[in-house]
Amino acid sequence: MPVKKSSVLFYFGRFMFWLQFAIIGRCRPEGAENIPEEGGIIIAPNHISVWDPPLTGSMMKRPLHFMAKQELFDVPLLGFLIKRTNAFPVKRGSHDMSAMRNAFALLENGSPLLMFPEGTRSKDGNPGKARAGVGMVACHAQVPVIPAKIVNTNNFFKFKKIKIKYGKPIMPPKEYSKNDYIEFSQKILDEIAGM
């Protein structure tokens, strides 16, 4: 399946978010040298706020792609915008094969993909429970995962300094079973906790 090129709207939005995070959030990314310049990769940060996807994407040189819950695409104006910002829909709570095909196609075509090891936002800012998603996609696609630690996006309007730190790439096991998916996702979360 061919992967669409990032739109002008994507680059404009990325710049505007970068401006916000760099000025208001005083964010300077750490460890950007750990992100390979080419090839499919999964960027896997902790998830504490709705600001996490735009922060992660705006602080990277490479155009980042990400899954977003189907409901967002059904909102008239938001749906129009989000379709043009490298997002594709996923039906949460189900085995959405269409979303998985999109994810694998992006990685196969050498694109970076954002996935959260916890699968959803942590309401209290503490690490959540590892889900199988990151582990499953990484194992089947055999691509490196870049753990990323995000701090203070849940306090964005309190003007606290926002941080994002990208860790070194971690390769999934070459031989695996379904039981290894959550174990690998947990390995990513443990790496984030130690950063």
Side-chain angles (χ1 to χ4, degrees):
M1 184 180 77
V3 177
K4 292 180 182 176
K5 289 185 177 180
S6 300
S7 68
V8 172
L9 184 60
F10 167 81
Y11 287 105
F12 175 74
R14 184 171 73 167
F15 173 73
M16 294 306 292
F17 277 119
W18 176 84
L19 214 55
Q20 284 186 72
F21 293 123
I23 295 173
I24 300 171
R26 294 163 288 150
C27 184
R28 302 293 181 270
E30 296 178 44
E33 68 278 3
N34 292 322
I35 302 172
E37 293 183 6
E38 56 184 28
I41 53 169
I42 296 172
I43 306 293
N46 57 312
H47 197 8
I48 55 175
S49 164
V50 295
W51 295 103
D52 298 338
L55 170 72
T56 309
S58 66
M59 292 295 157
M60 285 179 53
K61 291 180 181 178
R62 297 177 65 186
L64 186 63
H65 298 259
F66 60 99
M67 298 181 190
K69 59 184 179 180
Q70 175 67 53
E71 295 85 350
L72 297 178
F73 291 83
D74 299 332
V75 179
L77 179 59
L78 181 60
F80 172 83
L81 292 172
I82 204 168
K83 284 177 188 174
R84 288 152 181 83
T85 55
N86 288 1
F88 58 95
V90 59
K91 293 174 185 173
R92 297 195 303 176
S94 68
H95 297 290
D96 188 343
M97 294 311 297
S98 176
M100 289 298 102
R101 283 193 292 271
N102 280 335
F104 289 126
L106 285 162
L107 293 169
E108 188 177 328
N109 281 276
S111 297
L113 175 65
L114 172 70
M115 293 185 76
F116 296 105
E118 300 149 293
T120 188
R121 244 182 318 163
S122 166
K123 292 180 180 177
D124 61 6
N126 294 316
K129 184 179 177 183
R131 303 287 177 90
V134 167
M136 189 270 286
V137 173
C139 285
H140 284 278
Q142 283 298 296
V143 295
V145 176
I146 310 292
K149 183 166 189 172
I150 292 174
V151 178
N152 277 336
T153 49
N154 54 339
N155 292 308
F156 183 58
F157 291 110
K158 294 179 182 176
F159 302 102
K160 291 194 175 181
K161 187 174 182 179
I162 291 173
K163 296 180 182 179
I164 183 165
K165 182 177 182 179
Y166 299 99
K168 293 188 179 300
I170 301 173
M171 284 301 296
K174 290 187 177 179
E175 294 183 10
Y176 54 85
S177 67
K178 287 184 179 179
N179 295 331
D180 294 313
Y181 299 158
I182 290 180
E183 189 177 322
F184 184 71
S185 293
Q186 185 60 54
K187 182 178 181 179
I188 301 300
L189 281 178
D190 291 344
E191 188 69 22
I192 292 168
M195 290 167 67

